[in-house]
Amino acid sequence: LGGIANLALELVGYEKEMQKAMEYVFGSTIICDTPEIAKAIAFDKLIRNRTVTLDGDTYDPAGTLTGGSKNSLGVLLSKLEELASAQCSLEKKETQLGEVLAQLANFQRQGSARKTLLAEMDIKGHALKLCE
């Protein structure tokens, strides 16, 4: 037939701790690029897995067929991609925040050391005046 078919789990990115949830959501669902491939896989006597086309049409070995216009799998895949992107962005922002907090702590240490030096200068200045 010629075409592409992949397990849905292989097509989405997710954190390791999300694996069980992703396996529950996608199970053994196979994403196919054409309806012909999707039908052939879903109804093959040796395979019999649920398939979904890139258009969102779902083929179920139980015999049901649903149209892509109302199927939420495409929306779910899109939301998962948005989530992965947001997580990546969050990680970058957290790294930047850590760097800023480290700089702030360094400035606070420098400010404290400056105050200590100024206090010591005042004490030595007073001692010098007393010696005169």
Side-chain angles (χ1 to χ4, degrees), residues 78-127:
S78 174
K79 292 294 181 187
L80 285 171
E81 185 177 324
E82 286 178 34
L83 175 62
S85 176
Q87 285 175 329
C88 183
S89 179
L90 176 62
E91 289 172 5
K92 288 178 184 176
K93 296 295 181 190
E94 286 175 340
T95 299
Q96 290 174 341
L97 176 61
E99 292 169 359
V100 169
L101 289 175
Q103 287 178 338
L104 178 61
N106 188 32
F107 291 148
Q108 288 173 333
R109 282 191 298 274
Q110 290 175 356
S112 179
R114 182 177 178 266
K115 284 181 184 179
T116 302
L117 289 173
L118 287 173
E120 288 176 13
M121 258 179 54
D122 279 348
I123 292 170
K124 294 205 186 233
H126 288 300

Side-chain angles (χ1 to χ4, degrees), residues 7-14 22 26 76-77 80-81:
L7 281 173
L9 280 171
E10 294 174 356
L11 299 176
V12 295
Y14 54 90
M22 294 302 192
F26 294 108
L76 180 60
L77 288 172
L80 285 171
E81 185 177 324

Side-chain angles (χ1 to χ4, degrees), residues 45-56:
K45 291 178 184 178
L46 298 176
I47 301 174
R48 300 194 51 81
N49 271 4
R50 179 175 180 261
T51 59
V52 179
T53 66
L54 296 178
D55 291 330

Side-chain angles (χ1 to χ4, degrees), residues 5-59:
N6 291 297
L7 281 173
L9 280 171
E10 294 174 356
L11 299 176
V12 295
Y14 54 90
E15 299 293 321
K16 186 82 170 157
E17 60 268 8
M18 304 267 302
Q19 184 162 349
K20 292 289 182 190
M22 294 302 192
E23 287 172 353
Y24 175 78
V25 170
F26 294 108
S28 59
T29 299
I30 299 172
I31 308 297
C32 303
D33 65 339
T34 66
E36 293 77 24
I37 296 295
K39 284 186 236 175
I41 291 172
F43 302 115
D44 184 283
K45 291 178 184 178
L46 298 176
I47 301 174
R48 300 194 51 81
N49 271 4
R50 179 175 180 261
T51 59
V52 179
T53 66
L54 296 178
D55 291 330
D57 293 330
T58 302
Y59 297 87

